[in-house]
Amino acid sequence: MTRETVILRLIYEAIDVVNEGLPPGATLEKAPELALFGAEGRLDSLGLVELLAETELRLQDEFSVSVSLVDDRALSQRNSPFRSVASLANYAAAVLGSELSGSEAGE
């Protein structure tokens, strides 16, 4: 399984947790094209924070490295990395890659 596939699976697991708190009919689909945040987004700011926190926990558990998805780099991008599941997965892969390469350099 590729790293990208694992990251997508972890985001889907985080979506399952977020869905537990949503009313019937408002649950999120597990699809890369799902709009998360923004004009077409399905989450409010609190829902997005919950999804990101759950995703960070799962990334940390899976890859044994601390990952922060909400930082200056994410907030300063022209196109938000939180606009869809696919953009979140791509951004998480980039952050994870830099964290993993940084931890390997420090060993």
Side-chain angles (χ1 to χ4, degrees):
M1 197 178 298
T2 67
R3 183 184 296 171
E4 290 75 16
T5 304
V6 172
I7 290 170
L8 198 55
R9 176 181 53 82
L10 298 174
I11 292 170
Y12 289 162
E13 289 175 7
I15 286 174
D16 287 337
V17 172
V18 171
N19 279 341
E20 291 173 9
L22 296 175
T27 56
L28 305 173
E29 304 84 34
K30 293 186 269 187
E33 65 277 1
L34 175 70
L36 295 173
F37 197 70
E40 302 291 320
R42 300 276 311 277
L43 293 173
D44 60 14
S45 56
L46 187 58
L48 180 64
V49 168
E50 182 181 11
L51 178 67
L52 295 175
E54 289 292 335
T55 301
E56 288 174 350
L57 288 172
R58 282 163 174 68
L59 289 168
Q60 183 173 339
D61 289 347
E62 182 75 27
F63 296 100
S64 301
V65 64
S66 180
V67 174
S68 178
L69 297 175
V70 181
D71 58 11
D72 290 339
R73 181 171 60 167
L75 301 176
S76 66
Q77 290 189 20
R78 183 174 184 188
N79 292 317
S80 171
F82 312 132
R83 66 188 179 282
S84 70
V85 170
S87 63
L88 174 57
N90 290 336
Y91 183 69
V95 170
L96 183 63
S98 68
E99 291 297 326
L100 289 173
S101 65
S103 67
E104 290 169 1
E107 290 179 358

